[in-house]
Amino acid sequence: MKRTKKLLAVMLCVLMLVFGLVGCGKTNESTSTSTAMDYTSQFVGTWEADFSDFAVYADQGITGVAGSEFKEDGTLITYLDGEQADTFGYFVYKNYYVAVGEDGSAEVTQYKFSDDGKSLEFSDLDGNWMLTYTKTK
């Protein structure tokens, strides 16, 4: 009788562990997928950054207003002082942003949105700040 109870207890623990692992696997997969999709929608719109607002760029003589228009279809159009500069494809995954040039070259950076969603900060893969955009539309 004791042996049967012990065997049932072990089987119950194994079943709970198996269901727990299967459940965690499904949760992680859906979280990863929704994370990529949720963040993409936050980019859509027009963002601007005035290089003269950032000392690191002003010290290098880089001035002007950079604009980025993120479209729902994954297209990014960049502007410098109101003139169209380039067109890219873009996508995001978790906190990584990837811009793909027409020649197939890609640039990967990290990003984060402000709590109110009105500013977007980019940093390199080491976490060093690069530029902050403000949402205009």
Side-chain angles (χ1 to χ4, degrees):
M1 183 76 160
K2 280 187 172 184
R3 188 173 179 189
T4 304
K5 284 184 180 180
K6 189 174 184 180
L7 183 60
L8 285 174
V10 169
M11 288 177 56
L12 182 59
C13 287
V14 169
L15 282 174
M16 289 175 61
L17 179 61
V18 168
F19 285 122
L21 291 175
V22 169
C24 287
K26 289 180 181 176
T27 301
N28 288 341
E29 285 179 37
S30 65
T31 300
S32 295
T33 302
S34 67
T35 300
M37 298 306 289
D38 291 345
Y39 286 119
T40 302
S41 64
Q42 287 182 278
F43 278 83
V44 175
T46 304
W47 300 79
E48 288 186 352
D50 187 339
F51 284 109
S52 61
D53 289 343
F54 306 106
V56 66
Y57 293 111
D59 292 347
Q60 297 174 29
I62 300 171
T63 60
V65 176
S68 293
E69 180 182 359
F70 292 90
K71 299 187 176 208
E72 289 181 25
D73 68 357
T75 302
L76 166 64
I77 301 172
T78 61
Y79 300 86
L80 186 57
D81 290 331
E83 298 292 322
Q84 185 171 337
D86 244 324
T87 302
F88 298 91
Y90 78 93
F91 65 93
V92 295
Y93 179 72
K94 297 187 180 185
N95 65 327
Y96 295 98
Y97 164 85
V98 181
V100 182
E102 291 176 336
D103 64 355
S105 62
E107 182 178 342
V108 180
T109 59
Q110 294 183 66
Y111 74 91
K112 68 178 176 180
F113 290 96
S114 61
D115 290 339
D116 64 4
K118 293 182 181 179
S119 65
L120 172 59
E121 182 178 291
F122 288 98
S123 58
D124 65 21
L125 296 178
D126 293 325
N128 301 308
W129 173 87
M130 294 171 56
L131 192 60
T132 301
Y133 282 88
T134 302
K135 191 160 194 172
T136 59
K137 297 188 220 181

